[in-house]
Amino acid sequence: MTNVVRFPVERRARPTLDLLREIAPDVREVLNLADAFAMETPAPDLRARTDAATAEHIAANAPAAPAKLAAFLNDLEAIAVNRAITACREAHDTALEAVNAQQLLLAAQTGGSFWIEPLQEKAEARTERAAVLLLAAHAHAEQAEGVARAVALARRREPWAPRDIAAEMDFLLAAHRAAG
């Protein structure tokens, strides 16, 4: 079946937070790449800082009318999610280009080609660009998660408060113990 091509449904799906969570870079891969390329690691508190900044933005700019508030919150979340999904897709596409360039280089080295230097430069440049874009995609995904939390609290009309990770972990452990 050489004439069958997979249709990338995730490229046609409506951009949602769930889709973003499926395609977002794995933080372990991001940290490994940052280490391998001697790049600055992503800020561990980026999500929390974005959450706080978004909550301030909502408090200062949210309209009072319920319909306008819903549209305002939807737009705020959609912008962040769209930006993150676009960054994730670009990082994925560039990673594929880097893999193709590395394979071409390997084939040239194995075949004894004398055009190895330009191929090596191209492969290295694409690999480094893929790493940079993966770090950017991770940052955009973290920002989208921060925006989503602030927006979810605003939709439920709950007051914003910073996440207490220790309390959340204690709750999860207690729930796990209670479940057996």
Side-chain angles (χ1 to χ4, degrees), residues 8 30 34 41 44 48-49 59 70 89 98 102 115 117 122 151 162 171 175 178-179:
V30 170
T41 58
R49 286 186 296 146
R89 287 177 178 159
Q102 292 288 346
W115 292 100
E117 188 175 323
K122 182 179 180 181
V151 166
F171 173 78

Side-chain angles (χ1 to χ4, degrees), residues 50-63 72-73 76 79 147 150-151:
T50 304
D51 180 15
T54 304
E56 288 177 20
H57 178 74
I58 291 169
N61 299 306
F72 173 78
L73 296 174
L76 199 60
I79 290 168
V147 169
V151 166

Side-chain angles (χ1 to χ4, degrees), residues 30-31 33-35 37-43 135:
V30 170
L31 294 175
L33 267 175
D35 186 42
F37 285 90
M39 296 177 173
E40 187 175 336
T41 58
L135 285 157

Side-chain angles (χ1 to χ4, degrees), residues 23-177:
I23 67 172
D26 185 336
V27 70
R28 295 168 295 193
E29 183 181 352
V30 170
L31 294 175
N32 285 337
L33 267 175
D35 186 42
F37 285 90
M39 296 177 173
E40 187 175 336
T41 58
D45 64 339
L46 181 59
R47 184 184 297 201
R49 286 186 296 146
T50 304
D51 180 15
T54 304
E56 288 177 20
H57 178 74
I58 291 169
N61 299 306
K68 288 185 180 183
L69 176 63
F72 173 78
L73 296 174
N74 289 341
D75 288 346
L76 199 60
E77 185 175 42
I79 290 168
V81 169
N82 286 335
R83 182 177 39 230
I85 287 175
T86 300
C88 289
R89 287 177 178 159
E90 184 179 6
H92 178 266
D93 293 346
T94 305
L96 290 178
E97 291 173 7
V99 167
N100 290 339
Q102 292 288 346
Q103 289 174 344
L104 186 61
L105 173 62
L106 182 62
Q109 288 172 335
T110 309
S113 173
F114 57 91
W115 292 100
I116 291 179
E117 188 175 323
L119 292 175
Q120 186 171 1
E121 289 174 5
K122 182 179 180 181
E124 288 173 0
R126 288 193 177 176
T127 302
E128 187 170 340
R129 177 156 168 70
V132 168
L133 290 176
L134 187 74
L135 285 157
H138 172 72
H140 286 299
E142 287 295 299
Q143 289 171 330
E145 290 286 353
V147 169
R149 179 178 184 271
V151 166
L153 290 171
R155 282 184 180 135
R156 294 189 306 261
R157 302 206 186 270
E158 293 179 18
W160 182 87
R163 287 182 64 190
D164 185 355
I165 296 173
E168 290 176 19
M169 181 59 88
D170 291 342
F171 173 78
L172 290 174
L173 290 173
H176 181 68
R177 279 189 227 116

